[in-house]
Amino acid sequence: AGVACSLTASEMEDVQALVMKDKWREALGIMQKKGTNPNTSEDLRVVPLQCTCLMQLERHDEALDILDRLLKKRKGWAAGWLVRAKVLFDLGEYEKALESISDDVNGTKHLRKGAPRHLIDEARSLRDCITQIMASGANEHQRGNEAFQCEEFHRAAKHYRRAIQGQCDRQVLGTLHSNLSACYFKMGHMDVSTSEKMWKLALSHAEECIKLRPGWIKGLNRKSDAISALNTIRNYAALNASGDR
C-alpha cells in the first residue's frame, strides 16, 4: 500500500469528511494518489488516517507494516503508537495493543515525551477499555453479541469470525454463522455501494448455518432475508434496464 505523501489543506478536508462518513475506500484512494515516500511532518499527520482506512478495509497487515517501518525511525511518534494499538485491538491482539501504549515509571511508555495531551488521554481510555475486556473473561462469541446489541455490526462480525476459529461444536458453529449472516445483512443496509456484497456474504453464512444446523428456523430465516434483499437489487436493476430501452 505504501504511505501517502503530504496532502493539501483541501485534500485533507476531503479525506477527513470521507472518513467521518465511513467511506474508507474513497478516502484511501485520495491518499494513495500522493506517492509512497514520506519524509516530512505533514506525512505523519496523514499516515494515521491511511492506516485507519486500511484497518476498516480488513487490511491490517498493510497498516501494521507501514506503522512498524515508521516507528523504527520515529520511536517518539505518539500518534503512530496509538494507531498501532487500535489496529491490534481491532485484530483482537489485546496484549500486543496494550504493549504499544503501556505505562512505565515515567507515565505512558511511548507517549510521554512531549505527546499532545489529547493523544495521552485517548491512549489511556483505550488501555482502560482493553483492560476491562480482558478482565471480563468474555469470549469472542460473547463480545460479538455485546457489539451486536450496541449496533456495532462491523465489530460484532470480527468477534464472530474470531470465535469460529478453533470451534468444533457444530451447533455453536451454526449459531456463529447465523450471527455473521445477521451482521452482514445489517451492514448491507448501511452503505448502498456495498449492499450487494454484504447481502451475498449474509446468504453464504446463512447457507453454512443451514448445513451445520439443518431445519433450524433462525438459519432458514437468515437465508430468506438475504435472498429477499438480493432480489430487491436485481429487480431494481432490471427495472432500470427496461426503462433505458
Side-chain angles (χ1 to χ4, degrees), residues 117-182:
R117 172 55 57 183
H118 74 277
L119 289 179
I120 293 176
D121 290 343
E122 190 175 353
R124 287 177 175 164
S125 294
L126 177 60
R127 188 171 61 250
D128 289 344
C129 176
I130 295 171
T131 302
Q132 288 174 12
I133 289 174
M134 294 176 70
S136 72
N139 59 32
E140 294 295 342
H141 192 161
Q142 292 169 323
R143 290 169 186 157
N145 290 346
E146 290 167 3
F148 191 93
Q149 288 297 317
C150 295
E151 298 188 359
E152 295 177 3
F153 304 119
H154 288 274
R155 181 167 298 283
K158 289 172 183 177
H159 285 303
Y160 291 140
R161 288 198 299 270
R162 288 197 288 265
I164 284 173
Q165 298 173 18
Q167 178 59 252
C168 299
D169 187 295
R170 289 179 63 86
Q171 183 163 326
V172 175
L173 278 171
T175 299
L176 288 167
H177 280 289
S178 170
N179 292 351
L180 272 170
S181 178

Side-chain angles (χ1 to χ4, degrees), residues 44-194:
L44 298 186
R45 181 173 55 105
V46 171
V47 173
L49 284 171
Q50 183 184 17
C51 290
T52 297
C53 290
L54 288 169
M55 176 183 73
Q56 295 293 341
L57 294 170
E58 305 289 345
R59 293 162 62 180
H60 300 79
D61 288 346
E62 293 175 57
L64 289 172
D65 179 63
I66 291 168
L67 291 165
D68 288 344
R69 281 191 287 113
L70 289 173
L71 286 167
K72 282 182 181 178
K73 301 176 182 178
R74 302 172 174 86
K75 295 186 183 297
W77 181 33
W81 288 113
L82 179 57
V83 175
R84 186 177 189 273
K86 289 179 179 179
V87 174
L88 290 166
F89 174 68
D90 201 62
L91 283 169
E93 300 282 353
Y94 301 127
E95 291 183 2
K96 291 182 180 179
L98 281 177
E99 186 179 338
S100 291
I101 49 176
S102 60
D103 273 353
D104 62 11
V105 293
N106 295 313
T108 304
K109 184 176 181 181
H110 294 301
L111 308 180
R112 68 179 185 274
K113 294 182 179 179
R117 172 55 57 183
H118 74 277
L119 289 179
I120 293 176
D121 290 343
E122 190 175 353
R124 287 177 175 164
S125 294
L126 177 60
R127 188 171 61 250
D128 289 344
C129 176
I130 295 171
T131 302
Q132 288 174 12
I133 289 174
M134 294 176 70
S136 72
N139 59 32
E140 294 295 342
H141 192 161
Q142 292 169 323
R143 290 169 186 157
N145 290 346
E146 290 167 3
F148 191 93
Q149 288 297 317
C150 295
E151 298 188 359
E152 295 177 3
F153 304 119
H154 288 274
R155 181 167 298 283
K158 289 172 183 177
H159 285 303
Y160 291 140
R161 288 198 299 270
R162 288 197 288 265
I164 284 173
Q165 298 173 18
Q167 178 59 252
C168 299
D169 187 295
R170 289 179 63 86
Q171 183 163 326
V172 175
L173 278 171
T175 299
L176 288 167
H177 280 289
S178 170
N179 292 351
L180 272 170
S181 178
C183 286
Y184 289 123
F185 181 76
K186 294 285 190 181
M187 288 155 64
H189 286 89
M190 295 169 64
D191 184 353
V192 175
S193 67
T194 62

